[in-house]
Structure formats: structure tokens, C-alpha cells
Amino acid sequence: MRTLLKVVRRFILGMLVLLVVAGGVLVWRGHELYRSALAHESIEEAVDRLHAQPGYTSADALPRVYLDAVVAIEDHRFYEHPGIDIIAICRAAWNDLRTLSFAQGGSTITQQVAKNLFFTQEKRLDRKVAEVFMAFDLERSYTKREILELYVNSSYFGDGYTGIGQAAPGYLGKAAGEMTDYESTLMAGIPNAPSMLSAAPDAAAARQRLVVRQMLKYGFDPGTATPAASSVLIEEGA
């Protein structure tokens, strides 16, 4: 029995050592990816590039309901965390281990801005680590409102539209600042799965209802954003 316990302890210790080493290598690789991205383009240059994008829209020009809806559905602790959400990361890690997948990443809005500006959409652990380093830089350089503005202007909405300033005219036939409460909550849900939602009105409407529920859950006012408030669904791309 003692021999067996010694073997088990050595096995566990060996696994812990391997995890620590693997974690160290992952952090090193992620930091190198982060440094490489900044060597190619600084944060200020990346933000200036985004500002020059056709359709870029300031947060002040967007409906309050839209901005609140984005926070509620994407990152409800956005105004509280320093760029990463440990609770969301742990929850995503547990779900990924349980399902043996990489379906959830626990990324905050700030991390998604980092990804949109500097990295690819490929699901790689070292890229996730690089996002964390870049997210901390973004939080030090910009206000939460500025980061939220960068997010809604860098998110992909499907059908070739990047940013709400392109997506609102493309899907709704109006400027982003003219969106109704219903349209605001509808558009807030699209970047989660742009290829599917932009081509499936029923799926987009279901996502919109989820956005409203999340807003109510986390104390945001969705205004008149109910399915009956508008008959608008995404027509283009259907």
C-alpha cells in the first residue's frame, strides 16, 4: 500500500511539474506573440487605423441601448474588471474541459478589441495569452467608453461589414445612430455568430431576445426593445 501511495504521489507531483513547465512555455510564447504584434504596429497606430475605417462611429453618436446591450451580452462585468475577467475565464476553462472542446474562451470586450486589432480569429492558447498582455495595455491607455467604442467599430457583423457604422446601413438601411431600441438589441447580438445570424432572421431574432433578457438580468434598461416593437429582421444575406 505504501509503495502504491508513493507511486501515486510521484505521479501527481510529476503532473504538477509538467503543468507548471507547460504553463511557463505558454506564457512565454504568448508574450513573444504580443511583443511581435507591437513591433509591427503600436496600439496608437492600430487605433488610428481603425478610426480611419469607413463608417467609424463614435460612442457618443450611438444609442445608449445599443452600448448597454453590447456590454450585457458580451461582458457584463466590463466596467468592473481590469481587462480580463477571472470568473469568466475559470467558467470557460471548466466548460471546455468538461466538453473536451475549445468552444468558450471567456474573453472580455477589451481582449476582443486586442484580438480584432492585432491577432487572428484562430483559437490558439498562446494567442489568448497575447490578448491578455495587450488587454492590460489597452486598459492603461484608454477609458472604458473608448474601449467599448473600439469594440463596436472593430467587430465583424457578416456580409463584409466591419463595425456597427457599416452594419447598420447595410442591414437596416439607416445610420447606426438612428437605430431603434429593438434594432439596437438585434445588432448587439450579431457579432457572436455573424455568418449564421446575418443569414438567418429567425436565429437573429432569437439572439435579440436573449440580449434583452441579459440586459434585464444585469440591470440595463432595454427601453422598448421587444420583438413586437419592430418587424425589422435582417433581410440582406438571407
Side-chain angles (χ1 to χ4, degrees):
M1 177 62 76
R2 290 181 180 177
T3 301
L4 178 60
L5 288 175
K6 286 182 180 180
V7 172
V8 171
R9 281 197 295 267
R10 288 175 180 173
F11 175 76
I12 293 174
L13 180 60
M15 290 300 295
L16 288 175
V17 170
L18 284 175
L19 286 174
V20 170
V21 172
V25 171
L26 181 61
V27 170
W28 177 79
R29 290 180 58 184
H31 190 261
E32 287 299 300
L33 184 60
Y34 153 77
R35 285 167 52 89
S36 175
L38 286 182
H40 177 72
E41 184 177 39
S42 70
I43 290 179
E44 292 76 14
E45 290 170 337
V47 169
D48 287 344
R49 171 170 51 81
L50 182 62
H51 284 167
Q53 173 181 278
Y56 187 94
T57 307
S58 72
D60 291 340
L62 293 168
R64 173 196 58 80
V65 169
Y66 173 68
L67 295 175
D68 287 349
V70 170
V71 172
I73 195 64
E74 291 292 340
D75 180 9
H76 68 273
R77 282 184 286 270
F78 173 65
Y79 295 109
E80 303 164 12
H81 62 62
I84 64 171
D85 187 342
I86 298 298
I87 297 174
I89 290 173
C90 291
R91 183 181 63 246
W94 168 248
N95 287 331
D96 289 346
L97 285 172
R98 183 170 52 83
T99 60
L100 298 178
S101 69
F102 197 31
Q104 295 189 26
S107 293
T108 62
I109 283 175
T110 313
Q111 286 176 263
Q112 292 183 67
V113 170
K115 177 179 65 178
N116 292 342
L117 290 181
F118 290 97
F119 306 113
T120 68
Q121 303 298 314
E122 184 182 1
K123 293 184 177 181
R124 288 169 41 191
L125 289 176
D126 57 346
R127 194 217 71 206
K128 298 292 293 185
V129 173
E131 281 179 19
V132 171
F133 286 112
M134 197 69 74
F136 287 145
D137 283 355
L138 285 166
E139 291 276 345
R140 284 192 292 266
S141 302
Y142 299 94
T143 66
K144 289 289 188 178
R145 188 171 180 83
E146 289 171 335
I147 291 171
L148 182 58
E149 178 178 304
L150 295 174
Y151 173 73
V152 300
N153 281 284
S154 63
S155 296
Y156 184 61
F157 285 77
D159 285 347
Y161 303 128
T162 297
I164 187 62
Q166 295 180 16
Y171 288 133
L172 305 173
K174 61 175 63 175
E178 299 173 348
M179 294 187 296
T180 65
D181 292 345
Y182 176 81
E183 292 164 345
S184 292
T185 53
L186 179 71
M187 298 301 287
I190 292 178
N192 175 261
S195 297
M196 178 187 74
L197 295 179
S198 63
D202 289 343
R207 178 73 175 170
Q208 183 272 339
R209 291 191 291 271
L210 174 61
V211 171
V212 171
R213 290 197 297 272
Q214 291 294 98
M215 292 184 74
L216 294 172
K217 179 179 179 180
Y218 297 118
F220 295 104
D221 179 11
T224 59
T226 61
S230 173
S231 60
V232 175
L233 289 177
I234 297 175
E235 298 293 343
E236 296 189 21

